Amino acid sequence: MSKSTMGAFLLPEGFAPPPLVALVREGSVLGEAGRYALRSRTERRTRRATPYVGRVPVRVADPVLLVPGFLAGDTSLSFMGRALRAQGFRTYRSAIRANIGCTLDAAGQLEARLESIAARRGSRVQIVGHSLGGMLARGVAVRRPDLVSGIITMGSPMMAPGAHHGVLTRSVDVLVRLNRAGLAGLMSEDCVAGACARQSFEESRLPLAEDVGFTAIYSKRDGIVDWRACVDPVAEAVEVTASHVGMAVDPRVIDHVLGALRRRSVDSVVEVDRGVSA
């Protein structure tokens, strides 16, 4: 964001927006998407060669809510959702068509969505969030540990939301200007510099309940945000080699997401056996 729109507190000392040339690294998303397509083709061939009885994956207990990043909607995580379902996870969309509105409103929407899923499935929910979606997941998990069993963030600059590329700076500025012009449903100045922004930022840095798992996936090749801002000290940090956008489709990243989801699902089963609500 530019100085005219962003609160200085969103860019703490020690963090910085990626340089202009960093955006070139985002071009690798084409190769990452191709890698996903290649794996999908291989898996389809394997399924066709497998007897029908053996094709049905073992259903995993914890439901999973997928939350898209800034400027994106649920469709941006459709490939990941397909991969998770193939491994037995029940996935749910966030109902965010485009993540361009007030962050507190989006967090409230996610909370309501979590309540609905938890009531339907009778269990807490794991959240996988990309970029801004991960920051929203972090804040909701702080407020509602009764609904969230674990979160996995991908390229989410929780430690410094303002440490992002100038491309996003201009995008945010446009949204704020349109909001000022009277277009409802978009980020306002309060969302990037006022009380709304400060509350969202502070919530994303508060401690999590001990029984809420947290995995933070980051990439030093990230051309959109400062990778250092994505490494929360209370999380299990996992480094990958992927672009910021490509984290949503790269099968190598999806493998790490699956691993984290499975570990948390096993922990949830152990908690139930011990008489602890999961």
Side-chain angles (χ1 to χ4, degrees), residues 134-158:
M135 291 187 282
L136 292 172
R138 177 77 164 79
V140 171
V142 167
R143 292 199 309 275
R144 298 299 305 270
D146 58 313
L147 297 175
V148 181
S149 61
I151 61 173
I152 301 171
T153 60
M154 302 179 294
S156 302
M158 295 155 290

Side-chain angles (χ1 to χ4, degrees), residues 3 26 31 49 51 53 68 70 93 104 118 148 180 208 218-219 222 225 229 248 253 259:
K3 291 182 179 179
E26 291 301 304
V53 176
F70 178 57
R93 296 186 175 190
L104 289 184
V148 181
R180 287 174 183 165
L208 289 167
Y218 70 97
S219 172
D222 197 314
V225 302
V253 177

